Amino acid sequence: MIQLTTFQEEFANLPLNQKIYAEGKFGCGKTTAAIARLNRILENVALGSEILTFIPNRTLAKPYQEAFSSRGVKPQIQTYNGFIQRSLQIFWPIISEKAGFAFPEKPPCFLTIETAQILMARLIESKLEQGYFSALRVPSSRIYNQIMISMHKAAAAEFPFQDYAERMKKSWTGEKSLLQIFDQTQECGEIFKKICYQNNLLDYSIQVEVFQQYLLPLKRYQKWLESSYHHFIYDNVEEDIPAAHHFARVLLKNCQSALIIADHLGGFRSFLGGDPSSAAELKTLCDRQIVFEKTLICSDSIQSMAMCVENPFIAQKDLPGDPKTAYTFHPYHQYPAMIKQAAADVADLIHRQNVLPSDIVIIAPLVSDVLYTSMERELRIQNIPCFIYRPSRPLIGENASKSILTVIALIHPEWGIHPRLLDIVQMLQTIIPNLDPIRGHVLVARAFKEIFNDVQEAVDYEIKAFSEIPSDSRKRIPTSIGLLFDTFRQWILSNKGIEETPDISLSRFFHTVLTKNGFAAGNEGAEELNLGIKKVIESLKKFRVILEHVDQDLLSWKDYFRLVNEGMIAAQYYEDWFLQPENSVLISLASAYAVMNRPVSYQIWLNAGSPRWWERIYGQLTNDIVLSRSWQDGDQWDIQKEYEANNDSMIRQILALLSRCRKQVRVYASELSESGQDQKSRLLYLFADLSYRFGKNKDFMEGIANKLTQEISSDAFYPGIDDKDMNIAGKNEEEILGDESNQFLLEEDGR
């Protein structure tokens, strides 16, 4: 049982008829105190359904799922999207006709981000052929996703999508020739919405709009809310959208008690519509505002480092500890040398200092396949397993799910997805663990022959039995592997062109083939494959629901597999969050780790020289600041606003990472990127400044600062910024504040 601090106990014991707004940095005990208060509420209510607990993402539900009373009463835990889906299903007969759906007597069908992208791709295929979005040099799958996100953000900020193009064009300061893409985006979005209303399909944006415009204003619905929910808890409110905050305002007026919890350093889901400023407005509707100030996680040195980042002019005597011991900085010229040394230092922590692997996280601004492969190899040499977390990665981008999709492609050549021989080798290695790459290539080269299937009218493979391949090749492959291959071959041939849906075929493949001795599902370490199969089956099931709901002429399985192979952005799967083995080191994106709410003792920051630490997630069609409620009509998204947003984002992200670190941050930088290109980052300036002020590697870091100033021209680093102004070493605060040429820099650094 968790031991509460005195402050947390006092918080939990506040009267149960109060509405409280609790805020503070991560690690100050807000959620722990909220759960203690929730347990107290559970002991005083008859039904757990009277308590509504809101979270922005279902992966954050675990702490609340463990809360229950002595009588077994548990709260209702929901995301905003999950709650409005349930509400729309219950009240659908009342609002469907008024909302404008073509078949109000039929039930609604909810689209996921995957099924919505597939439908969008099918509907605007002719538009792309006409040259729409030709000015954008991005894959078509990214265009579908950005159109969907633009509709989501408009609904989240509660402004009509019909205003999207005008809003974006007014803010645009780039090439005039690109203005047409905003009109094209709006046109494609309106085509999508029209078809959805004709078929009772609701994607995320339509769900939010229908709920906010037609259901929430109903007095009947508000009475139902008032009678159903008497206690309301809303954690990580800053990561949710303004539409969710609007709904929270309605609940706050009707509930007996409420608890709103905000993280000062949050806002990492702004690219999905999250709005901390909108969340802060809920403070005025609460009876009490309580600030959690004392961290329960960070050491004094980490706190001191965070204070120095937040306030560059703080005196050392005002710090609780020595910031020099909070971090180490390791610069390298070559990218591979940086990876190798970082892995060696992780091994030293685990093998010599007895740090648990799960108490270490490796963080990078961008976790590419190159970074993961090289880091995984170096850690494997040190006998250290690792686990990578990359949310919403395309199904075709993960080895396990790609292999399973290859199996489906082999039994359904009529769907037009013809796998390469290399993909088949990879698939066989995945399902037959003892098959090495060399023998896998030999087996596939001799057993698979490309043909034209007259029955399916598509390019296909003729697959020979193991006994039919040339004897010289057969001798190189163990008989046990050959028998497993024949089992796989027989299943493929017996299911070629089968009429059942692919999710059912995959379920049978798992139970009749993969669970047999010698195949991957029955071996140790099969978690990744099993999760990959589960994700693919879940994705296929959700698409099957849509196919059963619409006309056959609108969508088909061919559309699904075409878009998956194009790299469609996948949905987020709950299991990814908790799959990490206990004895493994986590590798994650900086922003993804920040929302995991999982503190560790040691953080390894890779590739500190990458500009990705400073650059925000940005899509040409989905500028999250322009599409937010705080954007003023008539403002323009110029270079200064982008600089301000990038700098604020980097500082907030660094502070958020530090708040999740107990002991030390180890920073690694390489002068060259993974592709061999020279790279520089604002993050290097920050560490150069810290080291200069506190005398840590003073000569070396001063050399880096001078080199950055000399080598990075204003055009190369950031247009419009004179890098000479950044050389403020040796000046005191009064001199800097009195120098007008530095005012812009000071504002950006928050000084």
Side-chain angles (χ1 to χ4, degrees), residues 324 327 329 687-706 729-730:
K324 290 186 290 186
Y327 72 97
F329 188 87
F687 279 102
D689 184 41
L690 286 176
S691 298
Y692 183 84
R693 277 189 283 153
F694 298 107
K696 183 171 184 176
N697 299 328
K698 183 174 180 179
D699 295 336
F700 177 76
M701 294 306 295
E702 188 174 12
I704 287 184
N706 291 333

Side-chain angles (χ1 to χ4, degrees), residues 346-586:
V346 170
D348 180 76
L349 287 172
I350 294 172
H351 298 318
R352 294 188 180 183
Q353 301 183 38
N354 297 321
V355 178
L356 293 175
S358 58
D359 208 19
I360 302 171
V361 62
I362 298 173
I363 297 171
L366 179 67
V367 183
S368 64
D369 290 337
V370 172
L371 185 147
Y372 173 67
T373 302
S374 55
M375 178 57 75
E376 189 274 337
R377 176 182 177 276
E378 293 296 336
L379 290 175
R380 185 161 26 91
I381 292 173
Q382 302 285 353
N383 197 28
I384 299 173
C386 62
F387 173 79
I388 185 170
Y389 177 65
R390 291 185 283 188
S392 298
R393 184 165 167 78
L395 291 175
I396 202 69
E398 298 290 349
N399 178 51
S401 52
K402 181 180 180 180
S403 298
I404 298 305
L405 291 167
T406 301
V407 173
I408 295 296
L410 288 175
I411 65 174
H412 288 290
E414 72 276 13
W415 289 343
I417 305 301
H418 186 61
R420 303 173 302 165
L421 291 177
L422 186 62
D423 295 332
I424 298 174
V425 173
Q426 186 181 37
M427 177 268 297
L428 288 175
Q429 283 185 256
T430 301
I431 67 173
I432 305 176
N434 292 330
L435 180 63
D436 61 83
I438 295 177
R439 290 182 176 85
H441 279 82
V442 172
L443 177 60
V444 170
R446 298 294 184 268
F448 285 78
K449 180 183 178 182
E450 190 174 281
I451 61 171
F452 185 82
N453 190 321
D454 294 326
V455 177
Q456 304 292 345
E457 296 184 351
V459 179
D460 195 3
Y461 283 110
E462 177 187 350
I463 309 176
K464 296 179 181 178
F466 181 68
S467 59
E468 296 175 351
I469 67 174
S471 59
D472 59 333
S473 299
R474 194 166 62 247
K475 291 177 182 178
R476 300 174 61 183
I477 303 170
T479 305
S480 59
I481 298 292
L483 293 174
L484 294 173
F485 174 76
D486 281 342
T487 301
F488 166 78
R489 170 183 174 271
Q490 187 58 43
W491 189 89
I492 293 293
L493 295 179
S494 60
N495 288 276
K496 185 80 72 172
I498 193 168
E499 293 185 359
E500 69 181 6
T501 58
D503 55 306
I504 297 176
S505 298
L506 273 187
S507 297
R508 287 194 303 103
F509 178 69
F510 177 81
H511 291 290
T512 60
V513 177
L514 291 185
T515 54
K516 290 185 176 180
N517 290 335
F519 285 99
N523 285 15
E524 292 184 6
E527 294 88 356
E528 184 179 352
L529 174 63
N530 295 340
L531 178 62
I533 294 173
K534 186 174 182 180
K535 287 163 66 173
V536 173
I537 290 177
E538 184 178 344
S539 176
L540 293 169
K541 280 182 177 179
K542 289 177 178 177
F543 186 70
R544 172 163 57 87
V545 171
I546 306 302
L547 286 182
E548 294 170 351
H549 195 86
V550 300
D551 294 335
Q552 293 182 354
D553 295 337
L554 186 59
L555 287 174
S556 67
W557 284 111
K558 190 173 183 178
D559 296 315
Y560 174 89
F561 283 96
R562 177 177 66 85
L563 208 62
V564 166
N565 276 271
E566 287 180 3
M568 172 185 70
I569 301 299
Q572 186 180 37
Y573 292 90
Y574 181 77
E575 293 79 4
D576 284 355
W577 200 270
F578 303 105
L579 184 66
Q580 181 187 356
E582 291 184 4
N583 64 336
S584 65
V585 174
L586 175 66

Side-chain angles (χ1 to χ4, degrees), residues 113 120 133 142-157 159-165 167-168 181-182 184-190 193 203-205 209 271-272 619-624 627-628:
I113 185 63
M120 176 67 75
F133 306 106
R142 299 295 299 175
I143 293 174
Y144 310 141
N145 180 256
Q146 286 199 33
I147 296 173
M148 299 306 308
I149 295 297
S150 66
M151 292 193 295
H152 294 179
K153 288 181 178 178
F159 71 84
F161 186 66
Q162 290 80 359
D163 297 342
Y164 163 82
R167 190 184 186 103
M168 293 297 290
I181 65 174
F182 302 122
Q184 294 169 357
T185 300
Q186 183 170 314
E187 181 183 347
C188 292
E190 289 173 349
K193 288 194 171 189
D203 81 313
Y204 180 74
S205 64
E209 289 173 356
F271 66 97
L272 294 175
Q620 293 93 331
L621 309 178
T622 58
N623 188 314
D624 54 275
L627 296 178
S628 69

Side-chain angles (χ1 to χ4, degrees), residues 98-156:
K98 188 177 180 181
F101 288 94
F103 301 99
E105 72 282 359
K106 294 183 178 180
C109 184
F110 299 108
L111 300 177
T112 66
I113 185 63
E114 291 179 357
T115 53
Q117 287 177 92
I118 296 167
L119 178 59
M120 176 67 75
R122 181 71 177 85
L123 295 176
I124 69 170
E125 186 177 4
S126 60
K127 298 293 183 182
L128 295 183
E129 292 174 355
Q130 294 172 21
Y132 276 41
F133 306 106
S134 58
L136 298 180
R137 297 179 180 178
V138 295
S140 55
S141 59
R142 299 295 299 175
I143 293 174
Y144 310 141
N145 180 256
Q146 286 199 33
I147 296 173
M148 299 306 308
I149 295 297
S150 66
M151 292 193 295
H152 294 179
K153 288 181 178 178

Side-chain angles (χ1 to χ4, degrees), residues 259-393:
L259 173 58
I260 310 297
I261 306 169
D263 191 336
H264 282 168
L265 300 174
F268 296 103
R269 291 167 57 87
S270 60
F271 66 97
L272 294 175
D275 194 335
S277 61
S278 171
E281 295 174 5
L282 297 176
K283 188 185 301 186
T284 59
L285 300 177
C286 295
D287 304 323
R288 299 187 63 169
Q289 292 86 43
I290 297 176
V291 179
F292 286 70
E293 296 179 340
K294 185 178 180 181
T295 178
L296 305 178
I297 292 175
C298 302
S299 63
D300 289 344
S301 59
I302 290 289
Q303 291 183 61
S304 300
M305 180 180 175
M307 292 169 70
C308 292
V309 172
E310 199 168 10
N311 179 11
F313 293 108
I314 191 170
Q316 192 160 4
K317 62 182 178 61
D318 296 329
L319 300 175
D322 185 359
K324 290 186 290 186
T325 62
Y327 72 97
T328 60
F329 188 87
H330 308 272
Y332 296 91
H333 178 67
Q334 298 286 351
Y335 189 88
M338 175 193 70
I339 296 293
K340 188 171 185 177
Q341 186 58 50
D345 290 348
V346 170
D348 180 76
L349 287 172
I350 294 172
H351 298 318
R352 294 188 180 183
Q353 301 183 38
N354 297 321
V355 178
L356 293 175
S358 58
D359 208 19
I360 302 171
V361 62
I362 298 173
I363 297 171
L366 179 67
V367 183
S368 64
D369 290 337
V370 172
L371 185 147
Y372 173 67
T373 302
S374 55
M375 178 57 75
E376 189 274 337
R377 176 182 177 276
E378 293 296 336
L379 290 175
R380 185 161 26 91
I381 292 173
Q382 302 285 353
N383 197 28
I384 299 173
C386 62
F387 173 79
I388 185 170
Y389 177 65
R390 291 185 283 188
S392 298
R393 184 165 167 78

